[in-house]
């Protein structure tokens, strides 16, 4: 589904005055596109995802899905949370089946689908474990399986692979691309890793430091799977890293806003 | 937790690789447990000796020695009272029945009200002023009027109800408020509506808090029933037993009654505490 963010603005009330988290963001995401959001810590990436998910309301501006303005949450937009947000009293399987339970999917089908996604994220054998028995990386994989099993049109992912080791991370990136190519979902993916963004994205959207706007957009047309060792990959990485570094320095000096 | 399959096997292997360390930890645990046991026994023995010494020194009917009390304690379970025709079991059952009725009433009202007050601001605003006015009144202060107004049957039950109601209510409200909002967020992105949130997020995550409320409430319930039975004296009950025995000057039996109350109170709290821990663990909320 095509997603449009129009003149998005978000402020949070403070004791005195307000915090402008997002100054103004305009963005169009094509149906089936894979977009990575990159930006300094605290620039409002999570806030943008939460607004798209309908968990927060924008102070101004609007979100449109297929041209229709949306407000409130819905199962058409799934989210993978930076903090996992698993239900601690539910087992891995029960966490993954949560959305299907709400939709009253029959038990056997629920079981089949949840097994598919549990296998996919490599958690087979842990179906009956509770979240407290899992490591951070495993919890995050449950979160991913849970979002995917609900089959949303738009998948919002907030640093989903941040807690994974490098090896699992590369594996999950490939798996995510495979799922994305199979299902043609629209994906908005927040990451701190330039390498990850270059590997995954159709477009990389760089957000400026708070109060944030879209600072720059890189379009990547290379075919997948991409070769991290290629010269063009390395060049793009360097270019984006330099850009981010400049941004942070500007913020440190406080000379420019 | 029974987890089958390859992934868990890997985990197990890593635990076994730390086996000597693991064993050491276990040994330490047993040692600690043994030490606790020894200290507990010393403490109880010291208590009994002090009691015995005091009763020898005081040499009064008001403080019989431990042995006399112990004998009376055993006797009360075996010998029926010639006046009332009841033994201690009958009295315990009478008290227990009242506590359970009062508790059931409190549970049936405090849990739904607490959930509503925690979930909806309107319900909270509506109920809070009344609740806050009644909460600070010690339940026992209601005893005289409740027993006059409601009689010896219903009066004590209502007292237990009052005693259990408020701690349970506070815990349920606290439980609902303690829910990490991100869990509701996650549920919403999975398509949850308000009613789903209530049934699938708020209710389950409040259960451990409800259990805590039950444990505290039952403890207070016991205190209330004994006090109520002091005033309302028909139909048996441990509190009533104590009053009767004090009136006829059988102080050894009064103390036996106190021991019964102590044991029952301890059993209730321990049992509900055990259930509380089991439930929390099963629900993954340690
Ligand atoms: N509910 C809130 N109330 C007040 N301030 C908030 C709230 N949520 C976020 N903020 C502030 O808004 C800004 C953006 O937060 P956000 O979490 O979106 O950043 P982020 O880009 O996701 O950061 P990170 O990279 O560390 O995850 C931060 O300064 C944060 O402190
Ligand atoms: Mg964030």
């Amino acid at each position: 589904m095509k997603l449009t963010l129009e003149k998005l603005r978000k402020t949070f009330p403070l004791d005195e005055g307000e915090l402008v988290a997002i100054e103004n963001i305009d963005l169009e995401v094509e149906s089936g596109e894979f977009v990575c959001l990159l930006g300094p810590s605290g620039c409002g990436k999570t806030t943008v995802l939460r607004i798209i998910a309908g968990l927060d309301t924008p102070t101004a501006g609007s979100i449109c899905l297929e041209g229709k303005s949306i407000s409130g949450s819905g199962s058409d937009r799934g989210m993978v949370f930076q903090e996992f947000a698993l239900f601690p009293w539910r087992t891995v399987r029960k966490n993954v089946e949560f959305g299907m339970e709400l939709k009253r999917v029959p038990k056997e089908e629920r079981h089949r689908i949840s097994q598919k996604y549990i296998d996919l994220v490599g958690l087979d054998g842990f179906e009956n474990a509770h979240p407290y028995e899992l490591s951070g990386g495993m919890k995050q994989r449950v979160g991913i399986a849970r979002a995917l099993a609900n089959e949303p049109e738009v998948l919002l992912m907030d640093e989903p692979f941040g807690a994974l080791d490098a090896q699992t991370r590369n594996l999950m990136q490939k798996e995510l691309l495979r799922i994305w190519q199979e299902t043609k979902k629209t994906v908005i993916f927040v990451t701190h890793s330039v390498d990850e963004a270059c590997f995954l994205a159709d477009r990389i959207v760089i957000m400026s430091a708070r109060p944030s706007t879209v600072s720059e957009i890189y379009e990547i047309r290379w075919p997948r799977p991409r070769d991290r060792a290629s010269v063009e990959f390395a060049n793009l990485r360097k270019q984006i890293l330099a850009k981010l570094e400049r941004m942070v320095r500007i913020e440190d000096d406080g000379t420019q806003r | 937790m029974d987890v089958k399959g390859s992934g868990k096997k890997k985990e197990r292997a890593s635990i076994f690789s730390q086996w000597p360390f693991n064993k050491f930890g276990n040994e330490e645990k047993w040692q600690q447990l043994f030490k606790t046991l020894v200290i507990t026994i010393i403490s109880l023995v010291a208590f009994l000796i002090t009691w015995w010494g005091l009763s020898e020194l005081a040499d009064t009917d008001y403080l019989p020695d431990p042995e006399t009390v112990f004998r009376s304690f055993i006797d009360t379970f075996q010998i029926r009272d010639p006046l009332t025709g009841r033994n201690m079991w009958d009295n315990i059952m009478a008290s227990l029945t009242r506590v359970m009725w009062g508790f059931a009433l409190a549970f049936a009202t405090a849990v739904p009200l607490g959930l509503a007050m925690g979930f909806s601001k309107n319900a909270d605003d509506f109920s809070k002023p009344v609740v806050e006015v009644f909460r600070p009144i010690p339940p026992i202060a209601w005893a005289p009027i409740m027993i006059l107004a409601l009689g010896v049957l219903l009066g004590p039950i209502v007292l237990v109800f009052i005693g259990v109601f408020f701690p349970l209510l506070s815990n349920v409200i606290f439980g609902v408020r303690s829910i990490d909002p991100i869990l509701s967020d996650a549920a919403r992105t999975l398509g949850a509506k308000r009613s789903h949130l209530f049934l699938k997020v708020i209710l389950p995550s409040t259960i451990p808090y409800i259990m805590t409320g039950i444990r505290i409430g039952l403890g207070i319930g016991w205190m209330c029933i004994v006090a109520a039975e002091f005033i309302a004296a028909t139909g048996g009950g441990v509190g009533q037993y104590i009053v009767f025995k004090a009136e006829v000057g059988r102080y050894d039996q009064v103390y036996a009654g106190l021991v019964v109350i102590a044991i029952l109170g301890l059993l209730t709290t321990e049992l509900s505490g055990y259930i509380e821990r089991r439930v929390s663990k099963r629900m993954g909320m340690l």
Side-chain angles (χ1 to χ4, degrees):
Chain A
M1 273 202 219
K2 183 177 166 149
L3 184 74
T4 321
L5 314 187
E6 224 173 59
K7 295 198 170 56
L8 211 60
R9 179 184 169 85
K10 178 72 183 176
T11 61
F12 291 107
L14 293 177
D15 291 343
E16 293 168 30
E18 55 182 21
L19 177 107
V20 183
I22 299 172
E23 172 86 68
N24 181 12
I25 286 190
D26 276 300
L27 185 68
E28 271 192 23
V29 182
E30 292 303 324
S31 182
E33 193 180 14
F34 199 125
V35 169
C36 277
L37 274 187
L38 213 56
S41 193
C43 74
K45 302 181 292 294
T46 299
T47 306
V48 170
L49 287 196
R50 285 181 61 86
I51 291 174
I52 298 173
L55 298 174
D56 280 342
T57 45
T59 313
S62 65
I63 319 269
C64 294
L65 256 183
E66 288 296 335
K68 261 187 292 184
S69 174
I70 46 167
S71 65
S73 54
S75 58
D76 51 349
R77 285 149 289 146
M79 182 145 169
V80 178
F81 292 82
Q82 202 171 355
E83 311 86 342
F84 318 134
L86 303 181
F87 305 114
W89 59 92
R90 286 179 166 247
T91 60
V92 168
R93 179 184 300 288
K94 285 283 192 178
N95 262 286
V96 175
E97 289 182 359
F98 188 90
M100 291 186 274
E101 242 176 74
L102 302 183
K103 284 188 211 144
R104 301 183 179 282
V105 175
K107 200 170 172 182
E108 269 135 54
E109 194 183 345
R110 227 160 59 198
H111 193 96
R112 189 178 54 74
I113 297 175
S114 64
Q115 192 64 53
K116 179 174 131 194
Y117 287 103
I118 288 169
D119 290 348
L120 184 73
V121 296
L123 281 178
D124 48 315
F126 289 94
E127 290 87 350
N128 299 318
H130 279 91
Y132 71 88
E133 297 172 89
L134 306 177
S135 70
M138 290 159 91
K139 282 183 196 152
Q140 193 54 289
R141 283 185 268 166
V142 179
I144 294 166
R146 183 177 65 180
L148 288 174
N150 211 33
E151 310 204 319
E153 304 280 346
V154 179
L155 192 54
L156 307 164
M157 308 184 83
D158 199 356
E159 300 187 30
F161 303 152
L164 303 182
D165 58 274
Q167 205 183 341
T168 319
R169 189 175 185 142
N170 285 355
L171 204 82
M172 292 297 299
Q173 288 169 356
K174 282 185 196 133
E175 283 302 332
L176 179 63
L177 284 181
R178 197 180 55 71
I179 295 165
W180 168 70
Q181 277 160 341
E182 255 175 35
T183 56
K184 279 291 149 213
K185 288 183 198 317
T186 310
V187 179
I188 302 182
F189 187 107
V190 170
T191 177
H192 268 130
S193 159
V194 178
D195 175 85
E196 187 166 65
C198 293
F199 187 76
L200 295 172
D202 289 325
R203 275 193 301 160
I204 300 179
V205 176
I206 312 266
M207 284 168 69
S208 68
R210 222 177 42 233
S212 52
T213 52
V214 173
S215 155
E216 195 158 346
I217 297 181
Y218 293 87
E219 196 148 357
I220 311 177
R221 302 207 169 165
W222 313 326
R224 297 181 178 86
R226 292 174 184 161
D227 180 10
R228 286 193 158 93
S230 71
V231 178
E232 54 203 328
F233 196 98
N235 281 342
L236 182 64
R237 252 189 69 180
K238 226 182 283 169
Q239 197 184 336
I240 296 176
L241 275 172
K243 163 95 194 162
L244 283 172
E245 224 163 80
R246 264 201 312 282
M247 243 161 53
V248 174
R249 210 171 296 142
I250 289 166
E251 188 190 24
D252 284 350
D253 293 347
T255 48
Q256 204 175 325
R257 272 272 144 137
Chain B
M1 175 84 15
D2 181 40
V3 188
K4 53 184 186 312
S6 57
K8 194 70 185 183
K9 263 182 220 141
K10 261 181 242 151
E11 285 270 298
R12 287 230 176 88
S14 74
I15 289 172
F16 278 123
S17 64
Q18 299 173 344
W19 171 244
F21 173 74
N22 201 23
K23 193 181 162 206
F24 178 69
N26 251 346
E27 226 161 57
E28 210 160 58
K29 204 174 125 197
W30 282 114
Q31 261 174 19
Q32 193 58 50
L33 218 68
F34 183 70
K35 214 166 129 190
T36 309
L37 193 70
V38 170
I39 295 176
T40 309
I41 291 172
I42 292 174
S43 155
L44 287 177
V45 170
F47 164 71
L48 286 175
I49 289 174
T50 313
W51 176 2
W52 182 80
L54 279 177
S55 76
E56 287 294 304
L57 276 177
D59 192 25
T60 152
D61 283 351
Y62 291 127
L63 185 58
D65 63 78
E67 196 198 333
T68 314
V69 171
F70 182 72
R71 273 179 215 283
S72 308
F73 175 80
I74 301 290
D75 285 349
T76 56
F77 282 93
Q78 287 162 347
I79 302 165
R80 286 182 186 279
D81 189 290
L83 273 176
T84 59
R86 296 187 194 100
N87 64 18
M88 190 54 87
W89 292 119
D90 302 326
N91 287 317
I92 289 175
M93 279 318 290
S95 297
L96 208 60
T97 313
R98 292 185 186 118
V99 170
M100 282 306 146
W101 274 108
F103 173 79
L105 272 177
F107 186 85
T109 49
V111 172
L113 182 63
L115 288 172
M117 285 176 72
F119 190 55
S120 139
K121 176 137 173 43
N122 285 342
D124 190 49
D125 289 344
F126 180 79
S127 323
K128 201 167 188 174
V130 185
V131 168
E132 289 309 320
V133 165
F134 281 90
R135 189 203 302 276
I137 304 174
I140 295 153
W142 292 100
I145 189 67
M146 281 299 163
I147 283 153
L148 277 178
L150 300 171
V152 290
L153 203 68
L154 208 56
I157 291 177
V158 169
L159 274 189
V160 174
F161 165 79
I162 296 172
V164 179
F165 182 83
F166 288 102
L168 193 51
L169 182 75
S170 314
N171 270 282
V172 177
I173 295 175
F174 181 68
V176 177
R177 303 247 164 97
S178 311
I179 297 169
D180 191 346
I182 203 156
L183 293 182
S184 303
D185 289 344
R188 281 164 62 197
T189 63
L190 292 163
K193 301 276 162 282
R194 231 173 121 82
S195 62
H196 290 136
L197 283 185
F198 188 76
L199 286 175
K200 302 245 174 196
V201 179
I202 290 172
L203 198 57
S205 45
T206 314
I207 286 175
Y209 295 90
I210 295 179
M211 299 304 299
T212 307
I214 289 178
R215 176 171 52 78
I216 297 169
L218 278 179
I220 296 176
W222 264 115
M223 294 187 190
C224 293
I225 197 61
V226 173
E229 287 171 354
F230 280 2
I231 299 174
T234 37
V238 184
Q240 217 177 87
Y241 172 90
I242 290 175
V243 174
F244 279 169
K245 294 305 172 182
E247 277 167 3
V248 298
R250 282 298 302 272
Y251 303 121
D252 56 326
Q253 291 181 329
V254 169
Y255 281 93
L258 290 179
V259 173
V260 169
I261 290 171
I263 292 174
L264 286 176
L266 207 64
L267 277 181
T268 343
T269 345
E270 282 302 306
L271 189 72
S272 43
Y274 174 76
I275 297 173
E276 181 190 347
R277 285 191 299 276
R278 279 299 297 263
V279 168
S280 302
K281 194 166 161 57
R282 260 206 78 85
M283 301 193 68
M285 292 181 264
L286 300 168

